[in-house]
Amino acid sequence: MNLMNIKLLAFQAAASKIDKNIYNDGSDNVNKAIIKIVKYVGGVGAGLLTLAILIIALVIIFASISPKNVGTAWKALFSCLAGALLFYSAYFLAPSIAAIVS
Protein backbone atom coordinates (compact mmCIF):
# COMPACT_ATOMS: atom_id res chain seq x y z
CA MET A 1 0.00 0.00 0.00
CA ASN A 2 1.24 3.38 -0.76
CA LEU A 3 1.01 6.47 1.43
CA MET A 4 -2.05 7.80 -0.39
CA ASN A 5 -4.13 4.70 0.43
CA ILE A 6 -3.07 4.82 4.10
CA LYS A 7 -4.15 8.45 4.36
CA LEU A 8 -7.46 7.60 2.69
CA LEU A 9 -8.11 4.74 5.13
CA ALA A 10 -7.25 6.97 8.09
CA PHE A 11 -9.61 9.65 6.79
CA GLN A 12 -12.44 7.13 6.33
CA ALA A 13 -11.94 5.78 9.85
CA ALA A 14 -11.99 9.31 11.30
CA ALA A 15 -15.08 10.23 9.28
CA SER A 16 -16.96 7.16 10.51
CA LYS A 17 -16.23 8.15 14.14
CA ILE A 18 -17.34 11.74 13.55
CA ASP A 19 -20.70 10.61 12.18
CA LYS A 20 -21.58 8.63 15.33
CA ASN A 21 -23.58 10.30 18.05
CA ILE A 22 -21.39 10.39 21.16
CA TYR A 23 -24.07 11.81 23.45
CA ASN A 24 -26.45 8.84 23.64
CA ASP A 25 -24.56 6.81 26.23
CA GLY A 26 -24.05 9.51 28.87
CA SER A 27 -26.15 10.25 31.92
CA ASP A 28 -28.03 13.46 32.54
CA ASN A 29 -27.82 13.56 36.34
CA VAL A 30 -25.84 16.81 36.31
CA ASN A 31 -28.32 18.40 33.92
CA LYS A 32 -31.26 17.38 36.13
CA ALA A 33 -29.50 18.76 39.22
CA ILE A 34 -28.82 22.11 37.52
CA ILE A 35 -32.45 22.38 36.40
CA LYS A 36 -33.64 21.56 39.93
CA ILE A 37 -31.34 24.17 41.53
CA VAL A 38 -32.21 26.91 39.02
CA LYS A 39 -35.95 26.22 39.40
CA TYR A 40 -35.67 26.26 43.21
CA VAL A 41 -33.69 29.51 43.34
CA GLY A 42 -35.84 31.11 40.65
CA GLY A 43 -39.08 30.10 42.34
CA VAL A 44 -38.04 31.29 45.80
CA GLY A 45 -36.64 34.57 44.48
CA ALA A 46 -39.67 35.26 42.31
CA GLY A 47 -42.03 34.47 45.18
CA LEU A 48 -40.23 36.76 47.61
CA LEU A 49 -40.02 39.63 45.16
CA THR A 50 -43.68 39.22 44.23
CA LEU A 51 -44.53 39.46 47.92
CA ALA A 52 -42.39 42.60 48.14
CA ILE A 53 -44.25 44.07 45.15
CA LEU A 54 -47.57 43.45 46.85
CA ILE A 55 -46.41 45.03 50.11
CA ILE A 56 -44.93 48.09 48.41
CA ALA A 57 -48.07 48.52 46.29
CA LEU A 58 -50.22 48.41 49.43
CA VAL A 59 -47.97 51.00 51.07
CA ILE A 60 -48.25 53.27 48.03
CA ILE A 61 -52.03 52.87 47.89
CA PHE A 62 -53.02 53.07 51.54
CA ALA A 63 -50.22 54.84 53.40
CA SER A 64 -49.92 58.57 53.41
CA ILE A 65 -46.45 58.99 52.00
CA SER A 66 -44.91 62.41 52.03
CA PRO A 67 -44.34 63.89 48.57
CA LYS A 68 -40.61 63.71 49.22
CA ASN A 69 -40.69 59.91 49.66
CA VAL A 70 -43.11 59.02 46.86
CA GLY A 71 -40.29 58.71 44.32
CA THR A 72 -38.43 56.29 46.59
CA ALA A 73 -41.48 54.06 46.92
CA TRP A 74 -42.03 53.95 43.16
CA LYS A 75 -38.34 53.19 42.54
CA ALA A 76 -38.57 50.33 45.02
CA LEU A 77 -41.70 49.03 43.28
CA PHE A 78 -40.10 49.05 39.84
CA SER A 79 -36.86 47.54 41.17
CA CYS A 80 -38.76 44.66 42.75
CA LEU A 81 -40.74 44.22 39.53
CA ALA A 82 -37.53 43.95 37.50
CA GLY A 83 -36.05 41.48 39.97
CA ALA A 84 -39.20 39.36 39.96
CA LEU A 85 -39.20 39.25 36.15
CA LEU A 86 -35.57 38.14 36.21
CA PHE A 87 -36.27 35.31 38.65
CA TYR A 88 -39.43 34.25 36.80
CA SER A 89 -37.49 34.10 33.54
CA ALA A 90 -34.78 32.01 35.22
CA TYR A 91 -37.47 29.63 36.50
CA PHE A 92 -39.12 29.20 33.11
CA LEU A 93 -35.83 29.02 31.18
CA ALA A 94 -34.15 26.52 33.52
CA PRO A 95 -33.69 23.85 30.80
CA SER A 96 -32.00 26.41 28.53
CA ILE A 97 -29.74 27.61 31.35
CA ALA A 98 -28.81 24.01 32.15
CA ALA A 99 -28.02 23.37 28.48
CA ILE A 100 -25.67 26.37 28.45
CA VAL A 101 -23.85 25.29 31.59
CA SER A 102 -23.47 21.60 30.79
Side-chain angles (χ1 to χ4, degrees):
M1 294 178 95
N2 62 14
L3 189 59
M4 185 69 151
N5 288 339
I6 293 172
K7 286 183 181 179
L8 184 61
L9 287 173
F11 179 73
Q12 287 175 348
S16 67
K17 292 202 183 272
I18 290 172
D19 290 340
K20 291 183 182 177
N21 190 356
I22 61 172
Y23 298 109
N24 284 339
D25 296 332
S27 90
D28 59 347
N29 292 336
V30 174
N31 196 21
K32 286 180 184 177
I34 291 172
I35 290 174
K36 191 174 184 180
I37 290 170
V38 170
K39 282 193 173 243
Y40 182 73
V41 171
V44 169
L48 290 174
L49 285 169
T50 302
L51 183 63
I53 290 170
L54 293 173
I55 292 169
I56 294 169
L58 288 173
V59 168
I60 290 173
I61 292 170
F62 293 116
S64 58
I65 304 173
S66 67
K68 189 169 96 175
N69 292 332
V70 170
T72 305
W74 281 100
K75 285 179 190 174
L77 182 71
F78 289 129
S79 297
C80 287
L81 179 66
L85 289 175
L86 182 72
F87 278 102
Y88 276 121
S89 65
Y91 180 81
F92 288 117
L93 296 174
S96 300
I97 293 170
I100 290 171
V101 173
S102 60

